[in-house]
């Protein structure tokens, strides 16, 4: 016990609700690197505060500056969320969904 404030970084493994891939959690990534589907578990990234739990579809992908941004849409409640792609996300899956134009929030 050091008495220092602890920053809670949630690292957890999960099984993709769409394709069944076992995903090694890194603390920030909450989507599947193979199919890019996610689950609606966060209000803010990593907080696991959402009660929804619906599957989030990778609705579209745009390439901004130096990274891909994935727009997820929850199948259950319809909420959309933009997340940055992780370095180990499937480039094939990303480029298959890429759309030109600005991000629509
Ligand atoms: Zn998957
Ligand atoms: Zn939802």
């Amino acid at each position: 016990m050091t008495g220092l404030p602890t920053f809670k970084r949630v690292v957890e493994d999960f099984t993709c609700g769409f394709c069944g891939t076992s995903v090694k959690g890194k603390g920030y990534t909450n989507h599947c690197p193979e199919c890019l589907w996610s689950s609606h578990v966060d209000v803010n990234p990593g907080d696991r505060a959402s009660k929804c739990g619906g599957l989030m579809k990778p609705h579209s992908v745009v390439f901004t500056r130096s990274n891909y941004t994935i727009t997820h849409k929850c199948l259950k409640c319809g909420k959309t969320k933009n997340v940055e792609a992780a370095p180990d996300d499937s480039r094939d899956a990303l480029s298959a969904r890429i759309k030109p134009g600005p991000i629509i929030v």
Side-chain angles (χ1 to χ4, degrees):
M1 289 297 142
T2 59
L4 291 171
T6 50
F7 177 72
K8 191 160 175 273
R9 182 182 170 196
V10 183
V11 180
E12 60 190 348
D13 298 342
F14 62 97
T15 301
C16 174
F18 184 71
C19 73
T21 295
S22 295
V23 182
K24 283 263 179 247
K26 292 190 183 68
Y28 302 108
T29 303
N30 65 352
H31 59 271
C32 172
E34 296 299 326
C35 69
L36 310 177
W37 281 65
S38 184
S39 293
H40 192 186
V41 292
D42 296 341
V43 175
N44 295 302
D47 64 6
R48 302 297 185 265
S50 176
K51 299 277 188 292
C52 176
L55 272 178
M56 295 194 80
K57 183 182 181 180
H59 184 65
S60 60
V61 173
V62 291
F63 190 77
T64 47
R65 292 189 290 270
S66 58
N67 199 6
Y68 295 95
T69 299
I70 307 165
T71 301
H72 282 122
K73 184 169 187 179
C74 180
L75 295 186
K76 206 164 151 188
C77 72
K79 186 176 169 57
T80 57
K81 203 161 63 169
N82 293 330
V83 296
E84 291 222 344
D88 55 356
D89 284 351
S90 163
R91 287 308 185 240
D92 287 346
L94 288 167
S95 55
R97 294 182 186 278
I98 199 158
K99 284 184 182 170
I103 306 168
I104 296 148
V105 183

